[in-house]
Amino acid sequence: MIRFSRAASAALLACSLALPAALATAGPATASAGPDIISASQTSPSPLVPAAWRSAPTNAAQDVAPGVARAALPAPTGPYSVGSTVLPLVDRSRTDPWVPTADGRALMVTLHYPAARAGSGRPAPYATREEARLLAEQLGPGVSGDVLARTRTHSRTDARPAPGRRPLVLLSPGFSVSRWTLTHLAEDLASRGYVVASVDHAYESYGISLPGGRTLTCVACTALDEGGVHGSVVTSTRAADMRYVLDRLTGPRPVWKHADVIDARRIGMAGHSIGGASAADTMVADRRVDAGINMDGSFWEDLPAEGLRGRPFMMLGTHDDMHLPGGIDTSWDRAWTALDGWKRWVTVAGSEHFTFSDGPVISRHFGLPQPELPTDRAVAVTRTYVAAFFDQHLRGLARPVLDGPSPANPEVHFQHR
């Protein structure tokens, strides 16, 4: 796993990329047929991760060898089986900010949802081989793209949804990585009774596979790294992306045939890194989003004077000089002051930037350097606090774990109580 020193992280924050700590891995589910197919150019991303920062074993084979174990995501903890489907979308009402000649703004959306029964449908894939290969190249010679692509999930493709109306949670990934970096969290939320829409944003990932075999690469990486584009362009663009996704999932002509299971009166959003900052920007832009979580992301735009108009928000981050009060990332202090509703600032001891994604699981599988917080605890803490937040604010269920420190979670610290 790629590891960033805190000094390097601060330098990136001061420039344009908020990618502190360890870069995680993930890939996408295979796309099913959908209504909006794109034509897109292929542009190679800039080298965001200097070779000197890479740390990976050199004795692992790049191709899958006989007997090589598959990685597996942790099993979901809720009572429901999980279904999964992929929706390719294009918003042709907008010009893509990274490739203006593209045919609209392309989005790939994976839905995870409670399934009616276990065993129905085919096992959902984790990543296409091309997506996994492109990300594996960034993680060093010890990571096999084939093995990464074959990571075992716990959802079934196009399984019939369980009856009932469900809250919707939007998920947005970190910059340069894909929606699949949040799969263990998406599957867990779905097993607890949520519909979860994980969104990939065109040209903002090392690789996004589209229907028809096209792959979009990270044009935005070059724009931010070399072109001086501010990160707020990413967060405001993602806010517009999420508005479009909500229109297509909850509007009068929904793109998903089972969209009637979504309760449009209960919508939340969480994101990792710049995806977490995008959750705040989305709430500012769209009143339909009732609650939000920023997982270790810098806020690229200050909240407006009216804050989020009383809606709840949680900041979940590392317990170190980056995201403690008065830390290097001063945007958290400003956001905390501006938040005007229920709010929490939660930090996790021993965590790193990609603790809040699939990163710890992949890192452990490939024998890459890991933070102090063990993988199983990283997964459990992320799932516990994200689910508790949405349970309390979208379902009206009291979750005392959000009230303060808990003996069951000694790594978790509450700031500004």
Side-chain angles (χ1 to χ4, degrees):
M1 189 66 65
I2 302 164
R3 297 171 68 88
F4 286 60
S5 69
R6 281 309 189 193
S9 300
L12 288 173
L13 283 166
C15 299
S16 19
L17 293 177
L19 287 175
L23 183 61
T25 75
T30 303
S32 59
D36 300 316
I37 311 301
I38 8 184
S39 60
S41 63
Q42 301 217 38
T43 307
S44 297
S46 62
L48 298 183
V49 184
W53 292 354
R54 297 179 183 173
S55 179
T58 57
N59 58 350
Q62 182 63 27
D63 296 322
V64 178
V68 172
R70 291 172 62 185
L73 297 178
T77 60
Y80 292 99
S81 300
V82 179
S84 174
T85 193
V86 176
L87 305 174
L89 304 176
V90 179
D91 182 359
R92 292 191 172 88
S93 70
R94 291 188 288 149
T95 298
D96 191 287
W98 314 116
V99 180
T101 57
D103 184 15
R105 174 70 174 163
L107 305 170
M108 292 295 291
V109 180
T110 297
L111 293 182
H112 290 94
Y113 53 88
R117 60 187 179 87
S120 61
R122 295 174 287 105
Y126 186 61
T128 69
R129 293 183 67 176
E130 181 64 6
E131 291 163 335
R133 181 189 69 79
L134 289 168
L135 188 53
E137 287 179 353
Q138 302 298 323
L139 300 177
V143 180
S144 162
D146 277 354
V147 173
L148 178 58
R150 295 171 60 244
T151 297
R152 189 175 289 112
T153 68
H154 296 276
S155 49
R156 296 275 173 166
T157 299
D158 296 326
R160 183 166 57 87
R165 289 178 62 77
R166 312 289 177 182
L168 173 66
V169 173
L170 305 171
L171 293 181
S172 184
F175 191 73
S176 81
V177 293
S178 297
R179 67 194 189 278
W180 306 277
T181 57
L182 300 173
T183 298
H184 91 69
L185 178 59
E187 289 188 332
D188 190 66
L189 287 170
S191 78
R192 297 174 186 242
Y194 293 88
V195 175
V196 183
S198 303
V199 181
D200 249 334
H201 311 270
Y203 305 109
E204 296 177 17
S205 166
Y206 288 123
I208 301 172
S209 294
L210 305 179
R214 295 186 180 92
T215 300
L216 305 185
T217 53
C218 196
V219 179
C221 294
T222 303
L224 269 69
D225 194 33
E226 301 175 7
V229 175
H230 195 262
S232 61
V233 176
V234 179
T235 57
S236 61
T237 299
R238 290 192 180 192
D241 292 345
M242 292 307 192
R243 177 184 291 273
Y244 182 73
V245 170
L246 286 178
D247 289 345
R248 297 311 308 272
L249 290 178
T250 66
R253 293 185 297 277
V255 69
W256 186 36
K257 65 181 179 180
H258 300 297
D260 57 341
V261 307
I262 296 174
D263 185 348
R265 300 167 301 174
R266 297 183 290 167
I267 297 173
M269 180 173 170
H272 173 240
S273 193
I274 209 164
S278 301
D281 278 20
T282 300
M283 292 181 70
V284 170
D286 197 325
R287 291 296 304 273
R288 289 176 293 182
V289 182
D290 302 301
I293 302 174
N294 178 354
M295 296 186 291
D296 211 54
S298 298
F299 293 89
W300 288 98
E301 293 184 284
D302 288 342
L303 294 176
E306 65 271 23
L308 296 178
R309 300 186 178 182
R311 286 169 291 172
F313 199 86
M314 182 166 70
M315 303 187 307
L316 177 64
T318 53
H319 186 74
D320 57 17
D321 58 357
M322 184 63 69
H323 281 146
L324 285 173
I328 294 170
D329 183 0
T330 59
S331 72
W332 277 41
D333 292 283
R334 295 195 304 274
W336 177 258
T337 300
L339 290 169
D340 61 323
W342 186 102
K343 59 185 179 179
R344 291 292 184 273
W345 182 334
V346 179
T347 57
V348 183
S351 65
E352 291 185 343
H353 186 55
F354 275 86
T355 287
F356 310 99
S357 70
D358 291 354
V361 178
I362 302 303
S363 178
R364 180 174 64 180
H365 183 78
F366 287 104
L368 303 177
Q370 298 185 62
E372 178 183 340
L373 187 67
T375 295
D376 292 342
R377 289 300 300 157
V379 168
V381 166
T382 301
R383 288 175 166 183
T384 295
Y385 284 85
V386 171
F389 175 85
F390 288 126
D391 282 350
Q392 184 157 312
H393 297 293
L394 297 184
R395 304 170 83 173
L397 302 174
R399 290 294 183 252
V401 73
L402 298 174
D403 294 339
S406 164
N409 301 294
E411 312 91 343
V412 176
H413 300 264
F414 286 71
Q415 310 302 327
H416 289 302
R417 294 187 62 245

